């Protein structure tokens, strides 16, 4: 194994590097390489340069364009090897870096180039040939008229498929022809029917309408409605209908007046008794009295002179009170008669002024009016009859009999008419829309009748059954054809496996498909005998064709899978080489970064196929995964020895160092910052061992709070408000903390702060304040304690704080 890279001079970013002066632990002792070595460095810090030193010992040559480079390695047996004796070491070394990629995968530079092939020890060719014969027997013969095996099944499936597809196609065509005729036929097509004519109507529209009329919510129209809709389509816009004059119904008033008259009592004294008993005689005498008064002294009937006494008796009988009552009766009868005439003429309706849509409603209204007006006038006549009765028996009062009042019914009829008149006016405004709606209803009814006529549902059911048969036949044919193709591919694959180089390509594809689940690209070995001698080369293919324009990520995947497969080639298998892997995750996303780690862990570490392993990276996510490598490979429970290193670049030159604790031991910097705050809270005395924790406290506290409060309150609230939320109500602790976090972090408030002693009690108080508030989330606080190897006992921790 390699113990250390003793020196590096004049090699890229390494100017005058000496391991024993740079790679030291806290006790200033030199730290050697271990069996498993994790190296972290930023881009351009020198990781690839280190890998080139190892590759120089693998290939026996230093990369070009390095001017007088010097480097040396110390092995664990005490032997030193250097650039002066690159081939005199006896080590098996395998390096993955960009030089390896350029050497073996020429397509990275020139897309027209191929990939260097390599051979992997294959299985017994006799076994593969026997498997090929077995598959060929399953396939059978494809000779026309003499097919056997799968080829015979394919032929039978084709015959059945043709028959099924023909039956299904014919049935579908027949139904489509009927639909086409119904949609656009000159004689019966909806497109050309006068009431339904739609210039753009076609079979697609018919299919939509069929779906509508076959839905459970569709209700077919009856013959009467159909006639009405057809009639509405022929209507033109009508003028507005004049409003009926407001009607005043006085039935109640007349009833009150009549009741007053017929029940009114007048004096019966001084009346001629005989006339009171005989109404007809009273009427005859009254008429004669009117004819003779102040005109004749002799009775025109009997020729006798009318005495003065008789005139006095007649005048008393026909007095002013009776005359006044009779006059009131006559006046009221006249009013009632006039009112009756007025009401009968108030409802003058012309049905022709209304659209056919309202024909039924207006007819019902007219019929209702005729009945109701008859009842109303009959009631008025009953009032007049009672008046006439009292007129004849002027001195006889009687109880009023109130007729049935239908005034409210009559008013309702007028209101209903007004509603119809308004609806008619509104209908005029939307006549076009209403006719379009009527046309749609008629069209859907036409479609509905069509589905009944051709028994559409039954036709569709039959066609669906035929389609199932057709699809099954197609599926059976596809299945047997796919099986034949699969068997043919298996034969081709197995024939290629007869060549050892083919195993190399298959191994790469295994890694691509198995670890990265990447099936878009694959490697294929190509045999070329054009020069007489058989030559093998690898080619990248996509969808069976040579692939070009690969992305950087695809290049990285193929390159690393190629390197991993090559560790199993004839020259390497079983030799446990020293392996150096330089930053294998370039241009890869987080998923593929994990898969690269999984491939290294599974195929290198857990299989224990290495003598010594070096892995370098610039990616912190990948570094996080690499920390999981424990080397508990098959049959081993003890973790493998592991060491961490950092390539640190200052100005123009780089150096190797032992990886700092906060990178090596912590998952994130957040854990490191928490430990520093925890130390300050629990340190009792300031000394040379812990001084640095207090010196950096301000910066550490500031960074910790920034991270913690950002994720606790992930909004755009000001830092001061976030701290108030964290520490609770009251300004003093927040201001106190801000002073420490900012003054000691940035020397805010004056440069003199840098010259003052560290205020340990103040920092310790702030640290305890931070921990106290963190403990409000017990689970998180316990996890933080666990991450720094402190017993996660909340109660005891609180006591220590």
């Amino acid at each position: 194994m390699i113990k250390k890279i003793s020196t590096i001079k004049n090699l890229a970013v390494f100017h005058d590097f000496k391991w024993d002066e740079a790679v030291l632990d806290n006790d200033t002792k030199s730290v050697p390489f271990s069996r498993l070595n994790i190296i972290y460095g930023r881009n351009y810090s020198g990781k690839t340069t280190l890998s080139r030193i190892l590759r120089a010992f693998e290939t026996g040559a230093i990369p070009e364009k390095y001017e007088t480079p010097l480097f040396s390695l110390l092995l664990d047996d005490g032997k030193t090897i250097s650039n002066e004796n690159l081939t005199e070491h006896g080590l098996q070394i395998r390096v993955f870096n960009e030089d390896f990629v350029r050497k073996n995968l020429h397509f990275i530079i020139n897309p027209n180039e191929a990939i260097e092939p390599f051979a992997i020890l294959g299985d017994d060719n006799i076994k593969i040939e026997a498997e090929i014969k077995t598959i060929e027997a399953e396939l059978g013969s494809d000779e026309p008229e003499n097919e056997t095996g799968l080829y015979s099944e394919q032929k039978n499936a084709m015959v059945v498929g043709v028959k099924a597809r023909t039956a299904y196609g014919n049935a579908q065509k027949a139904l489509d022809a009927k639909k086409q005729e119904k949609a656009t036929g000159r004689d019966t097509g909806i497109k050309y029917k006068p009431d339904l004519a739609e210039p753009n109507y076609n079979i697609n529209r018919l299919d939509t309408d069929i779906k509508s009329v076959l839905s459970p919510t569709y209700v077919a129209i009856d013959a009467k409605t159909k006639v009405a809709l057809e009639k509405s389509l022929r209507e033109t816009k009508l003028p507005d209908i004049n409003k009926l004059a407001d009607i005043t119904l006085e039935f109640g008033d007349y009833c009150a007046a009549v009741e007053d008259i017929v029940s009114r009592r007048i004096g019966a004294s001084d009346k001629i008794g005989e006339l009171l008993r005989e109404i007809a005689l009273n009427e005859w005498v009254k008429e004669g009295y009117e004819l003779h008064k102040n005109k004749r002294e002799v009775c025109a009937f009997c020729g006798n002179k009318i005495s003065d006494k008789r005139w006095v008796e007649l005048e008393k009988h026909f007095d002013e009170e009776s005359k006044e009552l009779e006059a009131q009766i006559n006046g009221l009868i006249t009013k009632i008669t006039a009112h009756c005439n007025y009401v009968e003429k108030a409802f003058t309706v012309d049905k022709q002024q209304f659209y056919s849509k309202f024909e039924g409603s207006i007819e019902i209204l007219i019929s209702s009016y005729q009945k109701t007006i008859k009842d109303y006038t009959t009631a008025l006549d009953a009032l007049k009859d009672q008046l006439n009765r009292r007129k004849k028996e002027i001195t006889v009062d009687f109880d009023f009999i109130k007729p049935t009042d239908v005034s409210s019914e009559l008013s309702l009829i007028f209101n209903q008419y007004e509603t119809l008149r308004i609806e008619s006016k509104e209908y005029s405004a939307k006549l076009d829309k209403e006719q379009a709606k009527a046309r749609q209803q008629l069209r859907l009814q036409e479609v509905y009748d069509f589905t009944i006529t051709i028994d559409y549902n039954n036709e569709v059911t039959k066609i669906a059954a035929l389609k199932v048969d057709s699809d099954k036949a197609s599926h059976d044919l596809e299945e047997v054809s796919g099986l034949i193709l699969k068997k043919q591919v298996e034969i081709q694959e197995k024939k290629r496996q007869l060549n050892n180089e083919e195993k190399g390509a298959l191994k790469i594809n295994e890694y691509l498909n198995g670890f990265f689940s990447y099936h878009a690209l694959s490697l294929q070995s190509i045999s070329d005998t054009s020069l007489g001698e058989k030559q093998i080369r690898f080619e990248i293919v996509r969808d069976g064709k040579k692939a070009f324009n690969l992305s950087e990520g695809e290049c990285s995947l193929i390159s690393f899978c190629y390197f991993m497969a090559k560790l199993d080639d004839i020259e390497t298998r079983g030799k446990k080489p020293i392996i150096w892997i330089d930053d294998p995750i370039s241009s890869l996303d987080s998923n593929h970064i994990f898969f690269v780690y999984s491939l290294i862990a599974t195929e290198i570490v857990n299989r224990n196929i290495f003598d010594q392993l070096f892995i370098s990276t610039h990616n912190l996510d990948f570094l996080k995964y690499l920390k999981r490598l424990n080397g508990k490979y098959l049959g081993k429970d003890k973790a493998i020895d592991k060491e961490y290193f950092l390539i640190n670049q200052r100005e123009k030159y780089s150096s190797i160092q032992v990886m700092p604790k906060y990178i090596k031991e912590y998952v994130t910097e957040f854990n490191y910052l928490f430990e520093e705050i925890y130390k300050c809270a629990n340190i009792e005395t300031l000394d040379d061992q812990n001084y640095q924790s207090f010196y950096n406290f301000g910066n550490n506290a500031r960074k910790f709070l920034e991270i913690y409060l950002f994720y606790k309150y992930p909004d755009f609230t000001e830092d001061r408000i976030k701290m108030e939320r964290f520490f609770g109500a009251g300004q003093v602790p927040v201001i106190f903390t801000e002073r420490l976090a900012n003054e000691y972090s940035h020397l805010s408030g004056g440069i003199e702060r840098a010259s003052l002693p560290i205020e340990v009690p103040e920092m310790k108080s702030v640290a305890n304040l931070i921990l106290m508030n963190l403990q409000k989330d017990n689970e998180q606080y316990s996890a933080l304690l666990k991450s720094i190897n402190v017993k996660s006992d909340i109660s005891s921790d609180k006591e220590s704080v």
Side-chain angles (χ1 to χ4, degrees), residues 658-704:
V658 174
M659 187 177 289
K661 181 180 179 181
Y662 76 89
I663 299 178
K664 174 183 175 182
E665 294 187 3
Y666 297 109
V667 178
T668 66
E669 186 184 21
F670 182 72
N671 303 82
Y672 167 75
L673 296 172
F674 172 77
E675 184 181 37
E676 290 302 304
I677 294 172
Y678 187 87
K679 285 180 181 178
C680 289
N682 290 277
I683 292 174
E684 298 296 332
T685 304
L686 180 67
D687 56 31
D688 291 339
Q689 299 299 319
N690 56 36
Y691 180 85
Q692 191 171 9
S693 294
F694 284 101
Y695 185 81
N696 293 326
F697 178 78
N699 194 48
N700 291 340
R702 175 182 60 81
K703 292 173 68 176
F704 178 84

Side-chain angles (χ1 to χ4, degrees), residues 94 118-122 500-501 565-575:
R94 297 292 182 267
F118 57 87
I120 291 179
L121 295 175
N500 288 336
E501 289 82 2
K566 207 169 187 311
L567 292 177
D568 208 28
D569 66 7
I570 295 174
E571 297 178 358
T572 308
R573 189 172 186 178
K575 295 182 179 180

Side-chain angles (χ1 to χ4, degrees), residues 459-730:
E459 287 289 311
V460 170
T461 301
K462 290 179 180 178
I463 291 172
L466 292 173
K467 186 176 187 302
V468 170
D469 294 340
S470 177
D471 290 344
K472 183 180 184 303
S474 297
H475 176 267
D476 293 343
L477 177 60
E478 182 178 335
E479 190 173 54
V480 70
S481 298
L483 184 58
I484 288 172
L485 180 61
K486 180 181 178 182
K487 296 294 183 182
Q488 291 171 339
V489 171
E490 285 181 15
I491 290 173
Q492 294 302 318
E493 290 291 327
K494 290 186 178 298
K495 286 182 177 179
R496 281 196 291 268
Q497 288 177 24
L498 295 174
N499 300 318
N500 288 336
E501 289 82 2
E502 177 65 8
K503 285 287 185 180
L506 293 177
K507 192 70 174 178
I508 296 171
N509 293 335
E510 177 187 331
Y511 289 148
L512 277 174
N513 299 335
F515 281 86
F516 297 98
S517 298
Y518 196 78
H519 302 274
L521 298 174
S522 62
L523 259 70
Q524 183 174 306
S525 63
I526 306 297
S527 178
D528 186 1
T529 58
S530 59
L531 299 178
E533 183 180 354
K534 180 180 179 181
Q535 295 182 334
I536 300 295
R537 56 187 172 85
F538 286 170
E539 232 178 38
I540 299 177
V541 295
R542 192 196 307 269
D543 296 332
K545 299 178 182 179
K546 185 173 181 178
F548 295 94
N549 302 315
L550 272 64
S551 68
E552 290 185 10
E554 289 175 327
C555 291
S556 296
L557 280 181
I558 292 174
S559 300
F560 188 66
C561 289
Y562 178 93
F563 172 79
M564 291 297 297
K566 207 169 187 311
L567 292 177
D568 208 28
D569 66 7
I570 295 174
E571 297 178 358
T572 308
R573 189 172 186 178
K575 295 182 179 180
K576 283 198 171 183
I578 295 172
I579 301 173
W580 187 294
I581 299 174
D582 177 40
D583 224 353
I585 48 83
S586 176
S587 301
L588 298 181
D589 59 25
S590 57
N591 284 335
H592 287 124
I593 289 173
F594 176 78
F595 293 146
V596 168
Y597 155 76
S598 299
L599 186 56
I600 293 172
T602 303
E603 296 298 297
I604 296 179
V605 178
N606 292 347
R607 286 177 58 200
N608 191 27
I609 65 169
F610 64 98
D611 183 50
Q612 192 173 17
L613 178 60
F614 299 84
I615 307 173
S616 66
T617 184
H618 74 286
N619 187 284
L620 289 173
D621 284 339
F622 189 50
L623 177 63
K624 177 181 66 178
Y625 294 132
L626 292 177
K627 291 177 183 179
R628 302 181 185 178
L629 291 174
N630 55 24
K632 291 183 179 180
Y633 45 83
L634 296 176
K636 300 288 184 180
D637 293 326
K638 183 180 178 181
I640 197 170
D641 294 333
K642 182 167 55 176
E643 193 57 72
Y644 296 84
F645 299 93
L646 174 71
I647 302 178
N648 189 23
Q649 186 176 20
R650 294 183 179 178
E651 297 181 355
K652 296 190 297 182
Y653 303 116
S654 293
S655 175
I656 305 173
Q657 298 176 0
V658 174
M659 187 177 289
K661 181 180 179 181
Y662 76 89
I663 299 178
K664 174 183 175 182
E665 294 187 3
Y666 297 109
V667 178
T668 66
E669 186 184 21
F670 182 72
N671 303 82
Y672 167 75
L673 296 172
F674 172 77
E675 184 181 37
E676 290 302 304
I677 294 172
Y678 187 87
K679 285 180 181 178
C680 289
N682 290 277
I683 292 174
E684 298 296 332
T685 304
L686 180 67
D687 56 31
D688 291 339
Q689 299 299 319
N690 56 36
Y691 180 85
Q692 191 171 9
S693 294
F694 284 101
Y695 185 81
N696 293 326
F697 178 78
N699 194 48
N700 291 340
R702 175 182 60 81
K703 292 173 68 176
F704 178 84
L705 288 175
E706 284 179 354
I707 298 171
Y708 180 84
L709 294 180
F710 174 80
Y711 285 102
K712 186 171 181 65
Y713 309 113
D715 53 26
F716 299 100
T717 306
E718 293 180 5
D719 291 342
R720 178 182 296 274
I721 296 175
K722 289 183 178 180
M723 285 192 176
E724 288 177 351
R725 291 182 183 175
F726 175 65
F727 289 102

Side-chain angles (χ1 to χ4, degrees), residues 424-440:
S424 179
K425 182 178 180 181
E426 292 174 348
Y427 186 85
S428 289
K430 56 182 181 179
L431 180 61
D432 292 340
K433 291 183 179 179
E434 290 295 324
Q435 288 182 332
K437 184 178 178 181
R439 187 174 291 108
Q440 180 186 30

Side-chain angles (χ1 to χ4, degrees), residues 104 117 179 189 428 448 566:
N104 294 280
K179 292 196 294 183
S428 289
Y448 177 80
K566 207 169 187 311

Side-chain angles (χ1 to χ4, degrees), residues 169-181:
N170 290 341
Q172 186 64 58
K173 287 178 182 178
L175 179 59
D176 288 342
K178 294 176 183 178
K179 292 196 294 183
Q180 189 69 54
E181 176 64 25

Side-chain angles (χ1 to χ4, degrees), residues 124-141:
D124 188 353
N125 288 350
I126 296 176
K127 179 182 177 182
I128 297 176
E129 290 173 349
E131 291 173 350
I132 291 174
K133 289 182 179 179
T134 299
I135 297 172
E136 288 177 340
E138 292 177 9
L139 282 173
S141 171

